[in-house]
Amino acid sequence: MARVKAAESGLRAMALDPLRNFKRETVKVEEWGDTEVTLRALSAGDWMEYRRRAAEMVSVARAEAGLSPQTQESTEGEDAPSEPRVEINSNVLYAFVLVRTLFDEHQQRVFSDEDVGEVTEAFSPVHDRLAAKVFELSGVGVTEDAPDPVDAAGNG
């Protein structure tokens, strides 16, 4: 009976492991004293929250620019009216991505969701490079040919 419980708890641990069930990669960050960190692909919940935050930021920026609210449906098609695009600080979204997907050497998240503002303030080319790797692991290309994830999230 004890053997069955041990096997079940091992299976449970594997099923609930925040890294095991996602694409992930350990990378060395030279700028951080050659520290090795693990980056994980975004989960479905992470993507939903990313899209929600992006849509909210676009909505606020449109309102501040005096533009009407815009839905994805109204922007599609050749006959769609041409309205000016609004600018948002994409570093906020990329900081959110890192907060959700950056793990330390003990396989623990480095940040909590409340840290997004602090990570945004510290955002640098290093953070940008790590966020790009997360998008790559998540199946989103961040290249010249691929759409920007912020635009894909609803700033069109």
Side-chain angles (χ1 to χ4, degrees):
M1 186 66 148
R3 177 179 249 155
V4 172
K5 281 287 191 193
E8 286 176 4
S9 73
L11 177 58
R12 178 181 170 81
M14 286 188 285
L16 297 176
D17 186 305
L19 292 174
R20 179 181 297 269
N21 301 305
F22 292 91
K23 284 185 179 179
R24 63 191 180 283
E25 188 172 319
T26 300
V27 297
K28 186 181 288 190
V29 183
E30 293 177 19
E31 297 89 344
W32 298 348
D34 288 335
T35 299
E36 289 190 348
V37 299
T38 300
L39 299 168
R40 182 203 64 173
L42 292 161
S43 70
D46 296 336
W47 274 118
M48 287 176 52
E49 181 62 12
Y50 177 90
R51 289 184 57 85
R52 186 196 69 74
R53 288 172 183 243
E56 183 178 295
M57 289 175 68
V58 169
S59 179
V60 167
R62 290 183 62 74
E64 288 174 354
L67 300 171
S68 63
Q70 185 176 24
T71 63
Q72 191 66 23
E73 293 82 11
S74 68
T75 64
E76 294 177 358
E78 292 179 25
D79 298 330
S82 176
E83 285 196 26
R85 293 171 59 96
V86 294
E87 294 295 320
I88 62 170
N89 180 1
S90 59
N91 289 350
V92 175
L93 291 172
Y94 299 152
F96 166 76
V97 166
L98 282 181
V99 160
R100 287 284 179 99
T101 62
L102 182 66
F103 290 77
D104 65 18
E105 68 276 6
H106 303 292
Q107 309 305 307
Q108 299 297 312
R109 271 182 62 181
V110 174
F111 300 108
S112 68
D113 287 356
E114 292 76 30
D115 294 322
V116 171
E118 192 173 355
V119 175
T120 301
E121 289 294 319
F123 208 82
S124 71
V126 175
H127 298 89
D128 193 49
R129 184 175 73 235
L130 296 173
K133 175 55 79 174
V134 171
F135 284 118
E136 179 185 316
L137 291 167
S138 301
V140 177
V142 184
T143 65
E144 290 179 20
D145 299 333
D148 184 298
V150 174
D151 288 341
N155 188 16

Coordinates of all heavy atoms in Angstrom, one line a residue, residues 42 47 50-59 61 72 85-97 123 128 131 135 140-142 146-156:
L42 N 4.7 30.0 -22.4 CA 3.4 30.6 -21.8 C 2.4 29.5 -21.7 O 2.2 28.7 -22.7 CB 2.9 31.8 -22.6 CG 3.8 33.0 -22.5 CD1 3.5 34.0 -23.6 CD2 3.6 33.7 -21.1
W47 N -1.5 33.2 -21.6 CA -1.9 33.8 -22.9 C -3.1 34.6 -22.7 O -3.3 35.7 -23.2 CB -2.0 32.8 -24.0 CG -0.8 32.4 -24.7 CD1 -0.2 31.2 -24.7 CD2 0.0 33.3 -25.5 NE1 1.0 31.3 -25.5 CE2 1.1 32.6 -26.0 CE3 -0.1 34.7 -25.8 CZ2 2.1 33.1 -26.8 CZ3 0.9 35.2 -26.6 CH2 2.0 34.4 -27.1
Y50 N -2.3 37.7 -20.8 CA -1.5 38.6 -21.7 C -2.5 39.3 -22.7 O -2.4 40.5 -22.8 CB -0.5 37.7 -22.5 CG 0.3 38.5 -23.5 CD1 1.5 39.0 -23.2 CD2 -0.1 38.6 -24.8 CE1 2.3 39.7 -24.1 CE2 0.6 39.3 -25.8 CZ 1.8 39.8 -25.4 OH 2.6 40.5 -26.3
R51 N -3.4 38.6 -23.3 CA -4.3 39.2 -24.2 C -5.2 40.2 -23.5 O -5.6 41.2 -24.0 CB -5.1 38.1 -25.0 CG -4.3 37.4 -26.0 CD -5.1 36.4 -26.8 NE -6.2 37.0 -27.5 CZ -6.1 37.5 -28.7 NH1 -5.0 37.6 -29.3 NH2 -7.2 38.0 -29.3
R52 N -5.7 39.8 -22.3 CA -6.6 40.7 -21.6 C -5.8 42.0 -21.2 O -6.4 43.1 -21.4 CB -7.0 40.0 -20.3 CG -8.1 40.9 -19.5 CD -8.2 40.4 -18.1 NE -7.1 40.7 -17.2 CZ -6.7 41.9 -16.8 NH1 -7.4 43.0 -17.1 NH2 -5.6 42.0 -16.0
R53 N -4.6 41.9 -20.8 CA -3.8 43.1 -20.4 C -3.5 43.9 -21.7 O -3.6 45.2 -21.6 CB -2.5 42.7 -19.7 CG -2.7 42.2 -18.3 CD -1.4 41.6 -17.8 NE -1.5 41.1 -16.5 CZ -0.9 41.6 -15.4 NH1 -0.1 42.6 -15.4 NH2 -1.2 41.0 -14.2
A54 N -3.2 43.3 -22.8 CA -2.9 44.0 -24.0 C -4.2 44.8 -24.5 O -4.1 45.9 -24.8 CB -2.5 43.1 -25.1
A55 N -5.3 44.1 -24.5 CA -6.6 44.7 -24.9 C -6.9 45.9 -24.0 O -7.4 47.0 -24.5 CB -7.7 43.7 -24.9
E56 N -6.7 45.7 -22.7 CA -7.0 46.8 -21.7 C -6.1 48.0 -22.0 O -6.5 49.2 -22.0 CB -6.8 46.3 -20.3 CG -7.1 47.3 -19.2 CD -7.0 46.7 -17.9 OE1 -7.7 45.8 -17.5 OE2 -6.1 47.2 -17.1
M57 N -4.8 47.7 -22.2 CA -3.9 48.8 -22.5 C -4.2 49.6 -23.8 O -4.2 50.8 -23.8 CB -2.4 48.3 -22.6 CG -1.9 47.8 -21.3 SD -0.2 47.1 -21.5 CE 0.8 48.5 -22.0
V58 N -4.6 48.8 -24.8 CA -5.0 49.5 -26.1 C -6.3 50.3 -25.9 O -6.4 51.4 -26.4 CB -5.2 48.4 -27.2 CG1 -5.9 49.0 -28.4 CG2 -3.9 47.8 -27.5
S59 N -7.2 49.7 -25.1 CA -8.5 50.5 -24.9 C -8.2 51.8 -24.1 O -8.8 52.8 -24.5 CB -9.4 49.6 -24.1 OG -10.6 50.2 -23.8
A61 N -5.3 53.5 -24.1 CA -4.6 54.4 -25.0 C -5.5 55.0 -26.0 O -5.4 56.2 -26.4 CB -3.5 53.6 -25.7
Q72 N -11.9 43.7 -32.4 CA -11.2 43.0 -33.4 C -12.0 42.8 -34.6 O -11.5 43.0 -35.7 CB -10.7 41.6 -32.8 CG -9.7 40.9 -33.7 CD -8.4 41.6 -33.8 OE1 -8.0 42.4 -32.9 NE2 -7.6 41.4 -34.8
R85 N -3.2 54.2 -35.3 CA -2.8 53.3 -34.3 C -2.4 54.0 -33.1 O -1.9 55.1 -33.1 CB -1.6 52.4 -34.8 CG -2.0 51.5 -36.0 CD -0.8 50.8 -36.6 NE -0.1 50.0 -35.7 CZ -0.2 48.7 -35.5 NH1 -1.1 48.1 -36.3 NH2 0.5 48.0 -34.7
V86 N -2.6 53.4 -31.9 CA -2.1 54.0 -30.7 C -0.9 53.3 -30.2 O -0.6 52.1 -30.5 CB -3.2 53.9 -29.6 CG1 -4.4 54.7 -30.0 CG2 -3.6 52.4 -29.3
E87 N -0.1 54.0 -29.5 CA 1.2 53.5 -28.9 C 0.9 53.1 -27.5 O 0.3 53.8 -26.7 CB 2.3 54.6 -29.0 CG 2.7 55.0 -30.4 CD 3.3 53.8 -31.2 OE1 4.1 53.1 -30.6 OE2 3.1 53.7 -32.4
I88 N 1.5 51.9 -27.2 CA 1.5 51.5 -25.8 C 2.9 51.1 -25.4 O 3.7 50.8 -26.2 CB 0.5 50.3 -25.5 CG1 0.9 49.1 -26.4 CG2 -0.9 50.7 -25.9 CD1 0.2 47.8 -26.0
N89 N 3.1 51.0 -24.1 CA 4.4 50.6 -23.6 C 4.5 49.1 -23.6 O 4.0 48.5 -22.6 CB 4.7 51.2 -22.2 CG 6.0 50.8 -21.7 OD1 6.8 50.1 -22.3 ND2 6.3 51.2 -20.4
S90 N 5.0 48.5 -24.6 CA 5.0 47.0 -24.7 C 5.9 46.4 -23.6 O 5.7 45.2 -23.3 CB 5.4 46.6 -26.1 OG 6.7 47.0 -26.4
N91 N 6.8 47.2 -23.0 CA 7.6 46.6 -21.9 C 6.8 46.1 -20.8 O 7.1 45.2 -20.1 CB 8.6 47.7 -21.4 CG 9.7 47.9 -22.4 OD1 9.9 47.3 -23.4 ND2 10.5 49.0 -22.1
V92 N 5.6 46.7 -20.6 CA 4.7 46.2 -19.5 C 4.2 44.8 -19.8 O 4.2 43.9 -18.9 CB 3.5 47.2 -19.4 CG1 2.5 46.6 -18.3 CG2 3.9 48.6 -19.0
L93 N 3.9 44.6 -21.0 CA 3.5 43.2 -21.4 C 4.6 42.2 -21.4 O 4.5 41.1 -20.9 CB 2.8 43.2 -22.8 CG 1.5 44.0 -22.9 CD1 1.0 44.1 -24.3 CD2 0.4 43.3 -22.0
Y94 N 5.8 42.6 -21.9 CA 6.9 41.7 -21.8 C 7.4 41.5 -20.4 O 7.8 40.4 -20.1 CB 8.1 42.3 -22.7 CG 7.7 42.5 -24.2 CD1 8.3 43.4 -24.9 CD2 6.7 41.7 -24.8 CE1 7.9 43.6 -26.3 CE2 6.3 41.9 -26.1 CZ 7.0 42.8 -26.8 OH 6.6 43.0 -28.2
A95 N 7.3 42.5 -19.5 CA 7.6 42.2 -18.1 C 6.6 41.2 -17.5 O 7.0 40.3 -16.8 CB 7.5 43.6 -17.3
F96 N 5.3 41.3 -17.9 CA 4.4 40.3 -17.5 C 4.8 38.9 -17.9 O 4.7 37.9 -17.1 CB 3.0 40.6 -18.0 CG 2.0 39.5 -17.8 CD1 1.4 39.2 -16.6 CD2 1.7 38.7 -18.9 CE1 0.6 38.1 -16.5 CE2 0.8 37.6 -18.8 CZ 0.2 37.3 -17.6
V97 N 5.2 38.8 -19.2 CA 5.7 37.5 -19.7 C 6.8 36.9 -18.8 O 6.8 35.8 -18.5 CB 6.1 37.6 -21.2 CG1 6.9 36.4 -21.6 CG2 4.9 37.9 -22.0
F123 N 13.2 47.1 -16.9 CA 13.3 46.5 -18.2 C 14.5 47.0 -19.0 O 14.8 48.1 -19.1 CB 12.0 46.7 -19.0 CG 11.7 45.6 -20.0 CD1 11.1 44.4 -19.5 CD2 12.1 45.6 -21.3 CE1 10.9 43.3 -20.4 CE2 11.8 44.6 -22.2 CZ 11.2 43.4 -21.7
D128 N 14.4 41.9 -22.5 CA 13.8 41.8 -23.8 C 14.3 40.5 -24.5 O 13.5 39.8 -25.1 CB 14.2 43.0 -24.7 CG 13.4 43.1 -26.0 OD1 12.2 43.0 -25.9 OD2 14.0 43.3 -27.0
A131 N 12.5 37.6 -22.8 CA 11.1 37.6 -23.2 C 11.0 37.0 -24.7 O 10.0 36.2 -25.0 CB 10.4 39.0 -23.2
F135 N 8.7 33.8 -26.0 CA 7.8 33.8 -27.1 C 8.2 32.7 -28.1 O 7.3 32.0 -28.7 CB 7.8 35.2 -27.8 CG 7.0 36.2 -27.1 CD1 7.5 37.3 -26.6 CD2 5.6 36.0 -26.9 CE1 6.8 38.3 -26.0 CE2 4.8 36.9 -26.2 CZ 5.5 38.1 -25.7
V140 N 5.7 31.6 -30.8 CA 5.5 32.9 -31.5 C 6.8 33.4 -31.9 O 7.7 33.6 -31.1 CB 4.8 33.9 -30.5 CG1 4.7 35.3 -31.1 CG2 3.5 33.4 -30.0
G141 N 7.0 33.6 -33.2 CA 8.3 34.1 -33.7 C 8.4 35.6 -33.5 O 7.4 36.3 -33.8
V142 N 9.5 36.0 -32.9 CA 9.7 37.4 -32.8 C 10.9 37.8 -33.7 O 12.0 37.9 -33.3 CB 10.0 37.8 -31.3 CG1 10.2 39.3 -31.2 CG2 8.9 37.3 -30.4
A146 N 7.8 38.0 -38.6 CA 6.7 37.6 -37.7 C 6.0 38.9 -37.1 O 6.7 39.9 -36.9 CB 7.1 36.7 -36.6
P147 N 4.7 38.8 -36.9 CA 4.0 39.9 -36.3 C 4.4 40.1 -34.8 O 4.7 39.1 -34.1 CB 2.5 39.6 -36.3 CG 2.5 38.1 -36.4 CD 3.8 37.7 -37.1
D148 N 4.5 41.3 -34.4 CA 4.8 41.6 -33.0 C 3.7 41.1 -32.1 O 2.5 41.2 -32.4 CB 4.9 43.2 -32.8 CG 5.3 43.6 -31.4 OD1 4.6 43.2 -30.5 OD2 6.4 44.2 -31.3
P149 N 4.0 40.4 -31.0 CA 3.0 39.8 -30.2 C 2.0 40.8 -29.6 O 0.9 40.5 -29.4 CB 3.8 39.1 -29.0 CG 5.1 38.9 -29.6 CD 5.4 40.0 -30.6
V150 N 2.5 42.1 -29.4 CA 1.6 43.1 -28.9 C 0.6 43.4 -30.0 O -0.6 43.5 -29.7 CB 2.4 44.4 -28.5 CG1 1.5 45.5 -28.1 CG2 3.4 44.1 -27.4
D151 N 1.0 43.6 -31.2 CA 0.1 43.8 -32.3 C -0.9 42.6 -32.4 O -2.1 42.8 -32.6 CB 0.8 44.0 -33.6 CG 1.5 45.4 -33.7 OD1 1.2 46.3 -32.9 OD2 2.4 45.5 -34.5
A152 N -0.4 41.4 -32.3 CA -1.2 40.2 -32.5 C -2.3 40.2 -31.3 O -3.3 39.6 -31.5 CB -0.4 39.0 -32.5
A153 N -2.0 40.8 -30.2 CA -2.9 40.7 -29.1 C -4.0 41.7 -29.2 O -4.9 41.8 -28.4 CB -2.1 41.0 -27.8
G154 N -4.0 42.6 -30.2 CA -5.2 43.5 -30.4 C -4.9 44.9 -30.6 O -5.8 45.7 -30.5
N155 N -3.7 45.3 -31.0 CA -3.5 46.7 -31.3 C -3.4 46.9 -32.8 O -2.4 47.3 -33.4 CB -2.2 47.2 -30.7 CG -2.0 48.7 -30.8 OD1 -2.9 49.4 -31.1 ND2 -0.8 49.2 -30.6
G156 N -4.5 46.5 -33.5 CA -4.4 46.5 -34.9 C -5.3 47.6 -35.5 O -6.2 48.1 -35.0

